[in-house]
Amino acid sequence: MKTIKILVFMAVLLMAGACKKSFLDVQPITTVTDENFYKTPGDGFKALVGCYDGLQIIWSAGVSLPVAAEVLSDDCFGGTGNSDGFAYQMLDEFDKARSPSDQNVFGQNWALYYKAIYRCNVFLGKMDQINWGSDTALKTTYEAETRYIRAYLYFDMMRLWGHIPLLTAPSAENLPQADPDAVYKVIADDLKFAAANIKGQSYAAQDPATHGRVTKYAAEALLARVYLFYTGYYGKPDLVGIADKAMVLAGLEDVISAGGYDLLDKYANLWPAAAPDTYAGEDNKETVFAIKYTYTSDYSGNVDGNYWMVLLGIREQYIFPYGNGWGGGTVDPKLYNAFDGKDTRKVASVIAIGEENLNFTNKAKQREYTGYYIKKYSPLVDKNGIPLPQVNGNPDFQIGQYQDYVSIRYADVLLMAAELGSPNAQTYFDKVRRRAYQDSFVSLPVTRENIMNERRLEFAFEGLRFYDLLRQGVQVAAQQIAQSTTVLNGGVSTAKTISASKIIETQGLQQIPNTQITLSSGTLRQNAGW
């Protein structure tokens, strides 16, 4: 008999000083069957939390998209340890010859994405089995949230691999890769349904206990992101006939006029490492959607921490307030120098070893050292050098990081609306830049070039830059990312080349795990260039 693992909601307040993540504090409880579950709205809620949990753990192993997207972009190198394998250089250079044995670098992620999609598909298929009574609106809301999660998962997978099997119901069938338009049709349908069927509730009116759940505004914003990527990358006039420019812009204007979101007064306050004393906290008024994490992860099935952030920490050395990590995603000096000196985002986004007078002594252990690390998602320590997860009771800083991944910020909504030609485009564009420059603000005209440059600086290290380049065309992305330079590997100056031809050959897509191709008996085909 087929069984599924169900996760339940724990309505428990965390200890003082911890981040409140009540909606997604979950723990394994039991194994039940399809036949005896899905009876009550309470069962439906548990299944819904299981879908959110599936989203939460997609990056708990393998290579996370937030890290991969930075390594693939022109803003970061692969980095990691000087004695490590070259998997991250393979990604950075789009060249399988850099690490031929790493044929399954995304293998665990592929499996976790499909496990999460399985949870969503099972729940969607079982909804009519539940006795909802007179509360049909609750059923519709749960369906809308679940479909948003499924769309989010598929959009990640399409940007990573481009050619994937499409499942909208549980299946053990050996399916071939679907036409990209078929997958994007499901994504667009799901997001359109979510936007239409989740009650619009302004940020101020939201119950803090529900933060982390999908909102109408998150659906409208994600639909715009999908539209911009799809129409740009594939060169299409609209989103598979489901969403056109006017519809998408109207959704963004709804987020702006009715969502109740706003920019924080100071950019640094968005990030714990940039403003340890004035951090605005998670679920602040600029967060439209975030993937939630907490510090209670363990090796007994409780997988709710941010497992990928430790990769970005300074290599094996803490320097208060920055915690140690594995030195991945070292920052290209070109990005640091692209910031104007008056732009407050510069010091808020980048750990600058020299400029901050940090005594980093582990260059011999660091590959592709540049003197710059990612600040926005840096692990942190207290003044005694104790990792903050340990301060909160988790002895393992590797799995106990708990900073949320802020997937959609209000600034993105403003800039997408400006890019799509809102009558208020100049106002939206100026609003983002005024916050960045404070008293030094000078208005610039709203052009696509200026918007793209602003997006690079505003969203540095947030997983958007690479896809912003790709949606301008693979040729554009290849020319922007390609370079020949030198980096320090173990303290030794070493030549590094990223070839435009490799990016063009792969079309910016990643390697489908070889194990999946083998398991499919050749039904799955490897992406070009890999």
Side-chain angles (χ1 to χ4, degrees):
M1 182 178 292
K2 185 186 295 183
T3 61
I4 55 174
K5 177 179 275 189
I6 299 298
L7 301 172
V8 297
F9 171 65
M10 290 172 53
V12 180
L13 292 177
L14 300 179
M15 59 191 296
C19 301
K20 296 179 179 179
K21 303 166 187 277
S22 54
F23 177 65
L24 283 178
D25 292 341
V26 296
Q27 64 180 9
I29 181 168
T30 189
T31 298
V32 297
T33 68
D34 286 352
E35 286 74 14
N36 65 17
F37 197 64
Y38 300 108
K39 291 184 176 180
T40 69
D43 296 335
F45 183 72
K46 294 171 186 176
L48 175 64
V49 174
C51 294
Y52 277 98
D53 184 66
L55 175 63
Q56 184 187 57
I57 65 176
I58 51 176
W59 304 323
S60 60
V63 180
S64 74
L65 186 141
V67 172
E70 295 309 319
V71 171
L72 296 170
S73 78
D74 56 336
D75 289 343
C76 294
F77 297 123
T80 67
N82 193 49
S83 60
D84 289 343
F86 287 89
Y88 282 87
Q89 283 64 45
M90 178 185 72
L91 297 177
D92 188 25
E93 298 166 25
F94 296 81
D95 186 357
K96 65 179 182 180
R98 289 290 274 134
S99 190
S101 63
D102 278 307
Q103 300 180 56
N104 297 295
V105 67
F106 286 108
Q108 292 169 297
N109 305 104
W110 178 284
L112 289 168
Y113 274 109
Y114 274 112
K115 285 179 180 179
I117 287 170
Y118 174 82
R119 291 187 186 187
C120 294
N121 286 339
V122 168
F123 185 32
L124 291 170
K126 295 291 184 179
M127 281 189 171
D128 288 339
Q129 191 172 305
I130 293 173
N131 181 8
W132 298 96
S134 60
D135 198 353
T136 56
L138 183 63
K139 173 188 176 183
T140 303
T141 298
Y142 286 5
E143 179 181 356
E145 290 182 70
T146 303
R147 290 180 66 173
Y148 175 98
I149 294 169
R150 183 172 68 178
Y152 191 106
L153 295 164
Y154 269 131
F155 185 44
D156 271 10
M157 296 176 77
M158 287 302 294
R159 288 182 296 167
L160 281 170
W161 298 298
H163 306 100
I164 61 174
L166 173 62
L167 292 89
T168 56
S171 174
E173 187 179 353
N174 188 9
L175 296 175
Q177 287 133 306
D179 182 281
D181 281 0
V183 184
Y184 275 101
K185 186 179 187 304
V186 170
I187 294 170
D189 275 335
D190 282 351
L191 292 177
K192 187 176 178 181
F193 183 89
N197 288 285
I198 300 176
K199 181 180 178 182
Q201 193 173 43
S202 71
Y203 171 78
Q206 293 171 18
D207 181 351
T210 67
H211 284 160
R213 292 183 71 169
V214 177
T215 65
K216 168 186 176 68
Y217 309 113
E220 290 172 327
L222 185 56
L223 183 62
R225 182 177 290 176
V226 173
Y227 169 88
L228 285 168
F229 181 79
Y230 175 83
T231 56
Y233 183 76
Y234 294 98
K236 299 293 182 69
D238 60 29
L239 181 53
V240 291
I242 293 173
D244 60 15
K245 182 177 178 180
M247 176 193 294
V248 169
L249 178 56
L252 293 173
E253 298 286 17
D254 184 51
V255 179
I256 294 167
S257 64
Y261 301 99
D262 203 357
L263 301 184
L264 299 182
D265 292 337
K266 294 184 177 180
Y267 187 82
N269 291 347
L270 286 163
W271 315 107
D277 297 325
T278 57
Y279 172 47
E282 295 164 345
D283 309 311
N284 60 65
K285 63 182 179 180
E286 195 162 338
T287 300
V288 179
F289 185 70
I291 295 180
K292 308 291 291 178
Y293 297 112
T294 190
Y295 53 78
T296 55
S297 280
D298 55 39
Y299 293 105
S300 300
N302 199 20
V303 187
D304 52 14
N306 184 328
Y307 279 53
W308 52 267
M309 202 167 77
V310 69
L311 184 85
L312 303 176
I314 296 173
R315 184 72 194 187
E316 295 187 54
Q317 182 180 341
Y318 72 83
I319 310 172
F320 176 79
Y322 314 122
N324 61 296
W326 311 136
T330 51
V331 177
D332 190 328
K334 290 194 304 182
L335 172 64
Y336 187 76
N337 294 327
F339 285 99
D340 186 289
K342 297 177 181 178
D343 189 338
T344 62
R345 295 172 297 195
K346 184 173 190 173
V347 296
S349 301
V350 184
I351 298 172
I353 297 296
E355 290 84 342
E356 295 183 41
N357 295 315
L358 303 176
N359 184 26
F360 179 61
T361 59
N362 268 352
K363 291 181 184 178
K365 296 183 178 180
Q366 174 72 63
R367 179 177 295 151
E368 297 183 332
Y369 178 76
T370 63
Y372 302 103
Y373 291 93
I374 293 173
K375 183 178 290 189
K376 288 182 178 178
Y377 287 102
S378 170
L380 295 175
V381 295
D382 69 9
K383 292 182 179 180
N384 297 315
I386 300 174
L388 293 194
Q390 185 174 339
V391 172
N392 283 299
N394 191 322
D396 194 333
F397 75 97
Q398 299 175 90
I399 64 173
Q401 301 296 330
Y402 53 85
Q403 184 177 334
D404 290 350
Y405 174 57
V406 182
S407 176
I408 306 174
R409 286 199 287 115
Y410 185 62
D412 194 12
V413 173
L414 294 173
L415 290 182
M416 286 192 293
E419 183 177 347
L420 287 168
S422 168
N424 301 310
Q426 190 68 56
T427 299
Y428 299 160
F429 187 58
D430 286 349
K431 185 178 179 71
V432 172
R433 297 190 72 254
R434 183 175 285 109
R435 193 260 300 271
Y437 286 89
Q438 299 284 306
D439 294 339
S440 300
F441 166 74
V442 176
S443 183
L444 292 177
V446 179
T447 64
R448 189 150 194 256
E449 181 181 1
N450 284 342
I451 288 174
M452 286 300 174
N453 182 62
E454 208 61 41
R455 289 182 64 83
R456 182 188 188 190
L457 304 176
E458 176 71 21
F459 305 120
F461 318 126
E462 297 178 49
L464 298 185
R465 171 63 175 175
F466 177 60
Y467 299 110
D468 279 348
L469 288 174
L470 275 186
R471 67 185 177 87
Q472 296 175 70
V474 174
Q475 294 277 351
V476 172
Q479 293 304 319
Q480 183 65 38
I481 296 170
Q483 65 168 309
S484 293
T485 187
T486 58
V487 291
L488 290 178
N489 288 350
V492 178
S493 183
T494 307
K496 179 178 179 65
T497 298
I498 302 174
S499 171
S501 64
K502 291 293 184 182
I503 301 169
I504 294 169
E505 183 182 6
T506 62
Q507 293 292 290
L509 299 176
Q510 300 311 301
Q511 183 175 192
I512 292 172
N514 188 64
T515 52
Q516 295 298 325
I517 294 174
T518 301
L519 287 169
S520 76
S521 299
T523 299
L524 299 182
R525 303 293 183 182
Q526 185 57 268
N527 282 329
W530 295 105

